[in-house]
């Protein structure tokens, strides 16, 4: 069995990153100009990395499938970004942010990576303020903070309900400066379809122009994947419609190990499903749980009457409302971590207390409006309330919002070491595309933190340690046979997809697959369901490759062809998710095996058997992958059962 080398520096936890930076190899300015880097994806992680590496003097080629980096899915993040500034003087620290993240991930994340994340968090805020990001401020002018799930301090910096948009505009400004200087060359409407390996190292990518259909080759000394997660495998999720896992999946099939694919996050605060033909779900920021109280009726007959339209939320008196998170978790209340809040909502709805369609609970702001005034709530959450009303035609100032859990984020991703390099030399993965920082569950407001930490403050150091050994390597030629072979394979795949001429649309198969993935590999999983999923997904893969129909042709713009390639990858990825979930016979974070729970319905870990990162190695078509294990060793914290009650 291969032992994965995470390359974690020696020494005390608080000194590891400092020691690494002091001893890593560097590339001098003249040599930086000789080295080429490809960055795929221009969300927060990709845009910040491209801007930083361009500023350092490397030659960067950045790719995105959108028409502008400003349209990356990072723009949809609402609630905020964590940092351990302790502006509120409420007891926060780098160590507390580190510990909350480890605990929130249910002790399944790598200690050294998480501490580094917490350590650089403060520099992110300084960087973004310098860029002009309009963070909310208190009356005296200091940056404001609010609370998020899994923490008892206020450490989340925000810009109303559009924090992701403002942070991305800051990164985009830095990126645009480098584009203008010529250190970054931007390729929009370009989708990566394959990774090119030359002599065992990542040396380039094959892309398809989504407007013209042209297949092109691009070479570099190193490749960085910043392409986000794979939540859209479930069809209905809070992700943008174009978000996909194809880039990291192609890297997996070229030799990059895929880590913890079963670890996906269910966000508890989403607008419930409202129809059979809905194409995506809408997230309501976790920040709403600062002032909103979550409840369902105490009496089942009241819930039934609400579902039948005979009663409304305002008809239920206070004494007949079950504020179940406050009841079950008094220390954290409505701000428990996302996995805990999601399972609690599911439990209440499964027990018959759900409202709306039966798969919804209330998020009520009555108390906050009475206590603070409508104008304060409007100032804090006005754009979120407006969005909710536009979608549901209900006024949340007068009646409670209805929410229900939905797929939101993926903690799993490409395995990387401390340097963010994958098992393929020269291939790096940053942001949500890798697995490294969140364990089995991500705390709210930590995705933006990780993306910018990786792009601004980690990768610019670690990639140099690799590129220092490449300064004598001449520029890679795209005429190499490896590029030709990769392009041929892509062309053959496209031709095969276009030639099937079946009877089913891509969306039909994706919806059917996604619903089955949600039912069997969603919030609750069990052995029988996972085994059924593995069998079913193989059948669906056969159905896809035998009965799909893609209109139009490949020479030009063809959105259905784009979706087809992504859905083909989703189905294969779903198999790996189910296999990983079946292998991990415990419950932890977002991975809830129904056979492994406490009498109170909480997740039951089995640390003696499963305290490891599962890293899967591709073995070929229709062959079961090999499982490698990176043992998780906690040297500086005490591992214990998560408790949000006291």
């Amino acid at each position: 069995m291969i032992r994965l080398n995470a390359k974690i520096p020696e020494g005390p936890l608080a000194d590891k990153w400092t020691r690494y930076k002091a001893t890593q190899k560097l590339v001098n300015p003249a040599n930086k100009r000789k080295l080429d880097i490809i960055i795929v994806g221009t969300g927060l992680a990709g845009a910040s990395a491209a801007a930083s590496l361009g500023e350092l003097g490397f030659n960067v080629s950045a790719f995105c499938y959108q028409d502008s980096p400003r349209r990356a899915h990072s723009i949809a993040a609402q609630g905020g970004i964590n940092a351990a500034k302790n502006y509120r003087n409420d007891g926060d620290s780098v160590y507390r942010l580190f510990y909350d993240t480890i605990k929130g991930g249910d002790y399944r994340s790598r200690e050294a990576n998480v501490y580094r994340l917490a350590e650089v968090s403060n520099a992110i805020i300084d960087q973004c303020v310098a860029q002009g990001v309009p963070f909310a401020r208190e009356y005296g002018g200091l940056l404001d903070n609010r609370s998020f799930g899994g923490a008892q301090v206020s450490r989340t910096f925000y810009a109303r309900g559009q924090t992701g948009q403002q942070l991305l505009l800051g990164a985009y400004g830095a990126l645009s400066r480098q584009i203008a200087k010529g250190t970054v060359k931007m390729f929009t409407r370009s989708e990566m379809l394959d990774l090119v390996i030359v002599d065992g190292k990542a040396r380039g990518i094959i892309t398809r122009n989504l407007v013209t259909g042209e297949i092109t080759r691009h070479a570099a000394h190193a490749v960085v994947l910043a392409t986000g997660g794979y939540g859209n495998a479930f069809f209905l999720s809070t992700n943008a419609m174009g978000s996909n896992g194809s880039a990291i999946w192609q890297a997996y099939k070229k030799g990059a190990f895929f880590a913890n694919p079963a670890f996906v996050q269910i966000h508890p605060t989403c607008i419930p499903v409202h129809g059979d033909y809905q194409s995506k779900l809408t997230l309501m920021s976790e920040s709403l749980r600062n002032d909103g109280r979550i409840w369902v009726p105490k009496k089942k007959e009241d819930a039934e009457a609400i579902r039948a339209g005979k009663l409304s939320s305002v008809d239920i008196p206070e004494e007949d409302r079950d504020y179940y998170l406050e009841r079950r978790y008094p220390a954290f209340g409505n701000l428990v971590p996302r996995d805990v809040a999601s399972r609690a909502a599911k439990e209440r709805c499964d027990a018959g207390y759900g409202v709306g369609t039966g798969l919804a609970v209330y998020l009520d702001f009555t108390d906050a409006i009475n206590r603070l005034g409508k104008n304060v709530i409007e100032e804090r959450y006005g754009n979120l309330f407006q969005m909710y009303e536009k979608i549901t035609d209900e006024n949340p100032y007068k009646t409670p919002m209805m929410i229900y859990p939905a797929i939101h984020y993926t903690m799993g991703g490409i395995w990387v070491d401390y340097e963010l390099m994958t098992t393929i030399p020269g291939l790096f993965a940053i942001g949500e595309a890798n697995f490294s920082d969140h364990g089995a569950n991500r705390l709210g407001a930590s995705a933006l933190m990780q993306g910018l930490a990786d792009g601004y403050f980690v990768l610019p150091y670690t990639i140099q340690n690799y590129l220092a050994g490449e300064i004598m390597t001449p520029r890679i030629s795209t005429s190499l046979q490896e590029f030709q072979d990769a392009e041929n394979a892509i062309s053959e795949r496209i031709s095969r997809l276009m030639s099937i001429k079946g009877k089913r649309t891509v969306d039909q198969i994706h919806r059917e697959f996604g619903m089955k993935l949600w039912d069997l590999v969603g919030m609750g999983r069990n052995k029988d369901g996972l085994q059924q999923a593995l069998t079913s997904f193989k059948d669906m893969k056969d159905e896809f490759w035998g009965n799909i129909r893609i209109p139009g042709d490949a020479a030009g713009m063809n959105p259905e062809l784009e979706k087809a390639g992504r859905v083909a990858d989703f189905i294969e990825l779903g198999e790996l998710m189910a296999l990983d979930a079946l292998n991990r016979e415990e419950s932890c974070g977002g991975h809830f095996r129904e056979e492994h729970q406490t009498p109170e319905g909480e997740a039951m870990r089995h640390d003696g058997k499963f305290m490891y990162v599962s890293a899967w190695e591709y073995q070929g078509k229709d062959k079961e992958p090999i499982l490698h294990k990176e043992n998780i060793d906690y040297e500086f914290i005490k591992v214990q059962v998560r408790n949000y009650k006291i």
Side-chain angles (χ1 to χ4, degrees):
M1 180 68 68
I2 297 174
R3 182 175 176 80
L4 294 168
N5 180 11
K7 300 180 186 175
I8 298 172
E10 299 292 333
L13 184 64
D15 295 340
K16 289 182 184 295
W17 181 230
T18 300
R19 177 173 296 191
Y20 178 88
K21 290 188 292 183
T23 58
Q24 52 134 155
K25 297 175 183 177
L26 296 175
V27 180
N28 75 31
N31 285 331
K32 287 186 177 79
R33 294 191 292 269
K34 301 176 184 177
L35 296 170
D36 303 324
I37 302 171
I38 285 172
I39 296 179
V40 186
T42 54
L44 281 180
S48 60
S52 299
L53 293 171
E55 180 73 36
L56 285 171
F58 292 102
N59 301 299
V60 180
S61 295
F63 297 80
C64 69
Y65 64 77
Q66 300 94 344
D67 58 359
S68 166
R70 290 174 298 173
R71 298 193 183 277
H73 183 57
S74 298
I75 207 168
Q78 299 166 342
I81 177 171
N82 288 330
K85 286 285 195 181
N86 195 32
Y87 283 168
R88 290 289 185 92
N89 197 28
D90 55 1
D92 201 10
S93 66
V94 168
Y95 184 87
R96 190 174 292 275
L97 174 53
F98 153 73
Y99 179 75
D100 287 345
T101 304
I102 291 281
K103 177 183 176 183
D106 218 352
Y107 302 93
R108 290 294 178 266
S109 50
R110 190 189 288 152
E111 197 176 45
N113 286 64
V114 177
Y115 192 89
R116 178 176 63 186
L117 176 64
E119 187 178 354
V120 305
S121 66
N122 293 336
I124 297 171
I125 303 303
D126 297 338
Q127 170 88 357
C128 294
V129 169
Q131 291 174 339
V133 173
F135 286 120
R137 294 180 181 267
E138 296 178 333
Y139 180 76
L142 297 177
L143 297 183
D144 197 10
N145 293 113
R146 55 191 179 197
S147 300
F148 257 62
Q152 292 179 304
V153 297
S154 295
R155 64 162 66 104
T156 303
F157 296 78
Y158 65 98
R160 297 192 75 184
Q162 49 186 242
T163 313
Q165 178 179 355
Q166 299 303 328
L167 291 173
L168 186 61
L169 288 173
Y172 175 69
L175 174 61
S176 296
R177 179 171 179 269
Q178 297 307 313
I179 293 172
K181 286 179 63 178
T183 62
V184 176
K185 187 174 183 180
M186 189 70 227
F187 296 85
T188 60
R189 304 300 292 165
S190 298
E191 182 170 24
M192 171 184 160
L193 297 182
D194 205 358
L195 175 72
V196 180
I197 308 292
V198 179
D199 295 331
K201 296 182 178 181
R203 293 304 196 192
I205 62 173
I206 306 296
T207 66
R208 179 177 181 269
N209 185 298
L210 299 182
V211 177
T212 67
E214 181 185 7
I215 306 296
T216 53
R217 312 172 187 181
H218 304 272
H221 294 90
V223 177
V224 180
L225 300 183
T227 52
Y230 47 93
N232 270 348
F234 290 84
F235 187 73
L236 288 180
S237 82
T238 66
N239 289 271
M241 292 289 288
S243 297
N244 65 87
S246 287
I248 57 175
W249 190 248
Q250 299 312 317
Y252 162 71
K253 295 174 87 168
K254 282 297 182 73
F257 290 6
F258 206 114
N260 298 335
F263 287 171
V264 297
Q265 180 167 88
I266 317 294
H267 197 296
T269 318
C270 300
I271 297 178
V273 176
H274 62 259
D276 292 338
Y277 294 97
Q278 194 168 346
S279 58
K280 78 175 299 293
L281 298 174
T282 302
L283 170 71
M284 300 307 297
S285 170
E286 183 174 304
S287 64
L288 295 170
R289 291 198 273 148
N290 272 282
D291 291 303
R293 300 179 69 194
I294 296 173
W295 64 275
V296 293
K298 285 183 179 178
K299 300 176 182 178
K300 195 171 291 187
E301 55 266 29
D302 285 346
E304 292 170 350
I306 289 174
R307 293 197 295 269
K310 298 177 181 178
L311 289 177
S312 69
S313 59
V314 297
D315 296 322
I316 308 300
E318 185 71 16
E319 62 270 19
D320 290 335
R321 299 181 179 189
D322 178 16
Y323 296 94
Y324 57 88
L325 291 178
E326 299 171 34
R327 168 173 56 83
R328 292 180 60 174
Y329 309 101
F332 284 74
N334 295 295
L335 286 173
V336 293
R338 292 173 176 178
D339 60 315
V340 177
S342 295
R343 282 196 298 274
K346 182 178 186 295
E347 184 275 328
R348 287 291 79 193
C349 291
D350 289 350
Y353 295 92
V355 297
T357 63
L359 295 178
V361 300
Y362 288 128
L363 178 61
D364 197 335
F365 290 84
T366 302
D367 284 357
I369 291 173
N370 292 337
R371 173 169 46 89
L372 301 170
K374 179 183 175 183
N375 61 320
V376 173
I377 299 302
E378 188 172 12
E379 182 180 334
R380 290 179 180 176
Y381 313 113
N383 59 319
L384 298 172
F385 277 45
Q386 182 184 48
M387 181 173 70
Y388 182 87
E389 186 171 7
K390 282 187 175 182
I391 293 171
T392 66
D393 198 29
E394 294 182 0
N395 185 345
Y397 293 104
K398 296 180 179 179
T399 60
M401 292 182 180
M402 283 195 288
I403 58 170
Y404 193 70
I407 291 290
H408 177 59
Y409 187 90
T410 53
M411 285 75 66
I414 294 296
W415 184 92
V416 293
D417 59 23
Y418 189 75
E419 297 182 326
L420 304 182
M421 189 159 71
T422 72
T423 49
I424 299 174
L427 177 66
F428 296 78
I430 60 176
E432 193 180 356
N434 73 33
F435 87 100
S436 65
D437 291 351
H438 306 297
N441 173 64
R442 176 177 67 77
L443 292 185
S446 286
L448 305 184
M449 178 174 62
Q450 186 210 348
L452 291 181
D454 286 356
Y456 282 139
F457 298 108
V458 179
L459 184 72
Y461 283 96
T462 63
I463 199 170
Q464 288 193 68
N465 205 45
Y466 171 77
L467 289 175
E470 296 292 322
I471 59 175
M472 299 303 293
T473 303
R475 285 209 155 83
I476 312 301
S477 171
T478 57
S479 63
L480 292 172
Q481 187 61 44
E482 289 86 350
F483 281 87
Q484 182 66 57
D485 293 344
E487 182 178 337
N488 290 344
I490 288 300
S491 298
E492 289 171 9
R493 188 182 197 227
I494 290 174
S495 296
R496 183 183 174 194
L497 284 168
M498 296 301 300
S499 66
I500 296 172
K501 305 298 183 185
K503 297 180 179 179
R504 305 193 64 188
T505 67
V506 176
D507 278 347
Q508 284 175 336
I509 291 184
H510 191 187
R511 178 182 280 109
E512 181 182 332
F513 167 74
M515 296 302 105
K516 194 167 288 289
L517 187 65
W518 172 254
D519 289 341
L520 301 177
V521 200
M523 269 199 285
R525 304 156 179 189
N526 57 62
K527 182 177 181 179
D528 290 342
L530 292 169
Q531 289 175 334
Q532 179 186 337
L534 287 171
T535 300
S536 180
F537 295 165
K538 285 181 171 60
D539 293 340
M540 296 189 81
K541 184 162 59 176
D542 292 340
E543 171 71 2
F544 176 91
W545 286 102
N547 202 19
I548 201 76
R549 183 176 184 85
I550 302 171
D553 56 57
M557 184 179 292
N558 192 333
E560 291 303 301
L561 175 59
E562 296 171 36
K563 288 192 290 185
R566 297 165 186 171
V567 172
D569 295 334
F570 279 146
I571 295 174
E572 293 180 355
L573 211 165
E575 290 184 75
L576 188 63
M577 292 166 64
L579 181 62
D580 189 47
L582 184 63
N583 174 78
R584 190 173 286 275
E585 296 185 25
E586 64 166 351
S587 292
C588 57
H591 168 65
F592 192 73
R593 282 286 295 267
E594 294 167 351
E595 309 96 322
H596 303 279
Q597 56 182 301
T598 68
E600 295 80 24
E602 305 293 345
M604 181 183 289
R605 300 195 318 263
H606 300 304
D607 293 339
K609 295 181 179 179
F610 296 101
M611 190 169 279
Y612 60 76
V613 175
S614 57
W616 297 90
E617 180 184 6
Y618 183 69
Q619 293 297 293
K621 182 180 178 182
D622 298 327
K623 295 181 180 179
E624 185 165 310
I626 293 175
L627 172 63
H628 302 273
K629 301 176 182 179
E630 179 200 339
N631 292 326
I632 300 172
D633 299 314
Y634 290 105
E635 184 181 355
F636 300 96
I637 62 170
K638 180 182 177 181
V639 178
Q640 52 194 337
V641 176
R642 282 198 304 175
N643 187 347
Y644 294 99
K645 298 180 180 181
I646 58 176

